[in-house]
Amino acid sequence: MSLAIEKTKARNKELIDEVLTAYPEKTVKKRAKHLATFEDGNPDCSVKSNIKSVPGVMTIRGCAYAGSKGVVWGPIKDMIHISHGPVGCGQYSWGARRNYYIGTTGIDTFVTMQFTSDFQEKDIVFGGDKKLAKIIDEIEALFPLNKGISIQSECPIGLIGDDIEAVSRKKSKEYDGKTIVPVRCEGFRGVSQSLGHHIANDSIRDWVFDKAEDKHKEFQSTAYDVAIIGDYNIGGDAWASRILLEEMGLRVIAQWSGDGSIAELENSPKAKLNVLHCYRSMNYISRHMEEKYGIPWVEYNFFGPSKIEESLRKIASHFDDKIKEGAERVIAKYRAIVDAVIAKYKPRLQGKTVMLYVGGLRPRHVIGAYEDLGMEIVGTGYEFGHNDDYQRTTHYVKDGTLIYDDVNGHEFEKFVEKIQPDLVGAGIKEKYVFQKMGVPFRQMHSWDYSGPYHGYDGFAIFARDMDMAINNPVWGMTKAPWK
Amino acid sequence: MSQKSDNVLDHFNLFRGPEYTNMFENKKKNFEFPLPDEKVEEMRDYTKSWEYRTKNFAREALVVNPAKACQPLGAVFVAVGFEGTLPFVHGSQGCVAYYRSHFSRHFKEPTSCVSSSMTEDAAVFGGLNNMIDGLANAYSLYKPKMIAVSTTCMAEVIGDDLNGFIQNAKEKGSVPAGFDVPYAHTPAFVGSHITGYDNGLKGILEHFWKGKERIPNGKVNFIGGFDGYTVGNLREIKRLFGIMGVDATILADNSDVWDTPTDGQFRMYDGGTTLEDARGALNSRATISMQEFCTEKSLAYCAENGQEVVAFNHPVGVAATDRFLMEVARLSGRPVPADLEKERGRLVDAIADSTAHIHGKKFALYGDPDLTLGLTAFLLELGAEPVHILSTNGNNDWATKVQALLDGSPFGKGCHVYAGKDLWHMRSLLFTEPVDFLIGNTYGKYLERDTGTPLIRIGFPIFDRHHKHRYPVWGYQGAMNVLVTILDKIFDEMDKNSMVAAKNDYSYDIIR
C-alpha cells in the first residue's frame, strides 16, 4: 500500500471521529456505523445501510411516496397518477424530476401535471374513499383518453384506514376492467425512498401484469426484444440509451419508466432480456419477471465510454453473433466522438477530485465517467442504498475512498470542508451550501437541468458540464481582493 | 450521429435530428399502442370548448394543477426568519426534503430544516421519542438559538401533542429548560401554506409573549407574510422605514438567510429577527401585516394583546403604496418625507409614459389571495382589465374583496373572481374567454404552452427564471419593477408578432 493511501485512510479516520464528536452519545454509535473508508479486498464498504435516519440531523432522504410517485410511477405517461391525500406532496414533486416524454400533455399524456385529492379535514375524519371514487369518475369525464390510473398514497391514507384497494377494484369493474392501481406508498413506510420503489414495483406486478395477459394479442415478439428497466429518462437519458441498443440490433419493447407507457409495461414479460440500469429501484420487478416469465436480466452502466463499451458487450453476450457484431459496430461508430470529447476535456479535468452523494445507482455508476476524464472519486455515498449497493460499489471505488451512508448536512459539510474536493456532485438541497463555500457543484439527480448524461451522446454533455462547473471563472471571485 | 465535441448538443437540440425523431416515431407506433392522432386532436379541441369548461367547473372532488402548497411550508418560511432559528418539522422526513428543495429551487439558496423522521413504529406508538432524540441531535449539531417546531400531516393524524412532547424532551435534557422551542400545529389538510405561515408565526409570538406583561412603546411591528419576493420586499421595507425614521420590528425577516454571499463560507443562519426583538415586539403600539389572509390569527393575537393592527393585501401600485405609507406615518408619528414623494412621482411618471401600451389589455391572474388582490388593484390603476382572477387558496371573503375592487373601477366590468379553483379551471377560462396576458408563477408556463397566452411571471414559486426574488414589488420602486416586468412582456410580444419580413414587419418599430 502506498504511503499516500495510508495517509488518506488516516485522514478519513480522523475526519470521521471529528464529525462524530458533535453528536450526543447515543447518536455517535448510530452514525458511526454509516461512515467508513473503503479497504481494498473488502466485500462491501464496511458501512451499515437502509436503516432509519436519526431524527433531527438533516438527512437528505425522502420518503416512500417520493420513491413510488416521484420515481417509479410518475413517468408512466399515459396514466394519471393521483397524489392521494393533502396537496403538498404532489405540489412539491410536480414536474421537478425532468422525466422527459413525448405526448400531448393533458390530453393523452399526464406526466407534468399534479392530480391531487387535496384532502381536507373532513376527509381525514370521515375517510377519503368516497372522494377517491368520485375523483376517478371525474378523471374519466375530463380526461377520457387516459389509459390507467394509479393512486399514490400519502401519509394519512394508511393512518385513517381507507380501503383504496376496494375502491380501485370497484371502479375498475365499472370502467370495463380499466387499470386502476392502488399503491400503498405512504411516506412514513420504510426508512427512505427505497421502500417506495419496492412497493411500486410490487403494485405493477399485482395490478398490471396479472391482468395484462390477454391484452395486445397482436404484439409480435422477436428474438431480439429487450426492455430497458430503471431509466427515468431524466433530460432524455433513456433516449440516449435506447438509440445504442437499437443500433446494435436489439428491439426495445419497453422503457421503465421514463417516457414509458402502460402498454410497454404490459408487454414487458415478452422480452428476451431485461436490461437494468437502476438496480436499486427496479431490481424487484426484474427478479419477478425472471421468476415468473423466465426472463434473465443484466445490469448495465451507460455513464462514460469505458462502462458503455463494457455494458454493450455484456448485453450482447446474451444474444447471437449478429448482436455481438452490432455491439462492436456501435462501439466503433462512436469511437471518434469519444476520442474528441476526451481530447478536449481530459486535459482540463485531469487529476481533479470529486465527492459524490446521490441516490439509486449513481454513487457508483457515474464513477467510470469521471475516470474516463481523468478525474478521481475521493468520497461517495448513497441516500437510500442497501448492502447490495455497497457490495457493487467495491468494483468501482479505489482503496481509501471515504464512504458515507445517509449522510446529513453536518457530516457532508465537514467532509467537504476538510477534503476540499474540486467538485461535489449531489442534489438541490446541497448545491447552494457548497457553492457558498466556493466549491464547484453539479446536481447529479437532475443533471442541473442539463442532460442527457447516459450513452455516448450524453457523455459529451457530461464532460462539458463538469468542465464548466470546475473551470469556471466565478470560483476565482469568491474572495474580495482587499482581504 | 449529431453529437459534436466542439459544439456539444444537449437536450434542447440533440433530440431534434432524424435519428432521434425517427426513433420516437417507431417507439410510439410499435410499442405504445397509441390512440389515433385524430382522436387526440379531437379531444384537444374539445377541451377548448364551453361544453368542456362547464364539465370542468362541475368538478367536486378532483383537483388538477392547484396553485397552493401545504401548511408546514409556510411554517418553515416563518421560522428561518428568526435569528439563529432552525425549523424542525415533526412527522415524516420526506416532507422536509420537499420543503427544502422547493425553497432552494425558488431562491437558489440553501434552506436548512430538520425532520423528526417518524416511521411506522412512530405511527403506532406516537412520535415522542423522535421528538426527544430529534431536538437533542438538532441542538448539538446545528447550535441554533431557537428551534421552531411545526408538524406534517402524519403527526397531526395520529394526534401527537407538541407541547407535551417538547416539555418531555426538555425534561429529558434534549435542550436546556430555558431554550426557546416555539411550536405550531400545521396540518396539511387544513388551509394552505399561508395558513401555515400564520400558525407558525402565531406560535412564535405566543411563545415569547404569553403571560408577559405588556409595556407599550411607540414601535411598530411589521409582518410581510408568505412572499416569494421576501428578499427584495423586506429590504425595501427596511429602506422605506429608514428614510421615514420609523422604529420598527420586522417579524420573520428571512431576507438575509435567503440571500447569503458566495464568499467561501456557508451561513446556515444569517440575519433574521432577533429573539430579543421578537420578545420585545409585544410592547409595540401596532402591528402591520402586508398580507391579511396570511396573518388572520397572528393579527388577532396582536390585537388581543392590545396592539392596533392594520392589514393590507400585498399592496402594489400607487394608491396601495400611498395607503400603506400613510398608515405607517400615522402609526409611527413620522411623516412621509419628500424623498418618498419624489419616488411616488417617478412611479406616476413611469405609468404616464407607458400607460398607452397597457390600457385596455386583458389579463388573467392567479396566486395567493393577498398577491392577487394587490395585483388586481394595480392592473385596474393601469387601466388594464383583470378578466379572470383565480386563487386556489382564496375563500369567499377573498372573492368578496376582489369583487369590491372590480366594482370600484370602470376597468373591472366583465371581470370575474374564482375562489378555490385550480389551473385546470384557468385553462378552460383562457380557451373560452381569451385574454392578452397571464400573470402567475412558473406553473403558468404550461398554460402558456397550451393556450398561447403569454405568461408574466409574478408569484411563487418561480423556478425557471432567476433572481426575481431579489427585486421588491412593494413600495413605489417595487411597483416600478412590476410595471417594467409587465411592459417587457408586452413589448416582447409586440415584436414577436410583427417580425415576419415582407408580411407584417412594418409594425416592427424601433421606437415604442
Side-chain angles (χ1 to χ4, degrees), chain A residues 224 241 243-250 273 302 305-335 338 456:
Chain A
Y224 301 117
S241 304
I243 200 165
L244 301 180
L245 298 175
E246 288 189 350
E247 280 176 353
M248 70 192 266
L250 296 170
L273 178 72
F302 270 5
S306 302
K307 289 293 166 190
I308 298 174
E309 213 170 298
E310 195 183 305
S311 296
L312 288 172
R313 291 191 174 119
K314 193 160 134 195
I315 293 167
S317 73
H318 290 258
F319 294 93
D320 59 13
D321 284 352
K322 187 188 137 198
I323 301 299
K324 287 179 187 137
E325 281 155 24
E328 295 309 320
R329 198 172 55 242
V330 171
I331 292 165
K333 175 184 169 186
Y334 288 93
R335 175 96 5 108
V338 165
Y456 289 113

Side-chain angles (χ1 to χ4, degrees), chain A residues 27 52 134 147 259 436, chain B residues 27 33 60 121 137 260:
Chain A
T27 313
K52 268 196 280 187
K134 194 174 218 174
K147 292 208 192 150
D259 193 36
K436 303 278 178 197
Chain B
K27 175 179 183 292
F33 290 78
E60 289 175 352
D121 51 344
N137 286 323
T260 63

Side-chain angles (χ1 to χ4, degrees), chain B residues 132 135-136 139 147 166 169-179 181:
Chain B
I132 293 171
L135 285 179
Y139 179 76
I147 296 177
I166 292 166
K170 284 187 169 178
E171 279 156 25
K172 293 254 157 56
S174 298
V175 296
F179 186 76
V181 187

Side-chain angles (χ1 to χ4, degrees), chain B residues 21-40:
Chain B
T21 52
N22 291 338
M23 186 181 90
F24 297 154
E25 228 166 88
N26 288 330
K27 175 179 183 292
K28 181 177 169 183
K29 196 173 66 198
N30 299 327
F31 306 108
E32 293 179 7
F33 290 78
L35 297 155
D37 288 347
E38 315 83 66
K39 207 165 174 190
V40 175

Side-chain angles (χ1 to χ4, degrees), chain A residues 231-264:
Chain A
D231 190 325
Y232 301 102
N233 205 32
I234 292 166
D237 280 340
W239 294 335
S241 304
R242 180 187 189 103
I243 200 165
L244 301 180
L245 298 175
E246 288 189 350
E247 280 176 353
M248 70 192 266
L250 296 170
R251 198 173 81 129
V252 180
I253 66 166
Q255 280 177 214
W256 289 60
S257 54
D259 193 36
S261 56
I262 180 76
E264 289 168 71

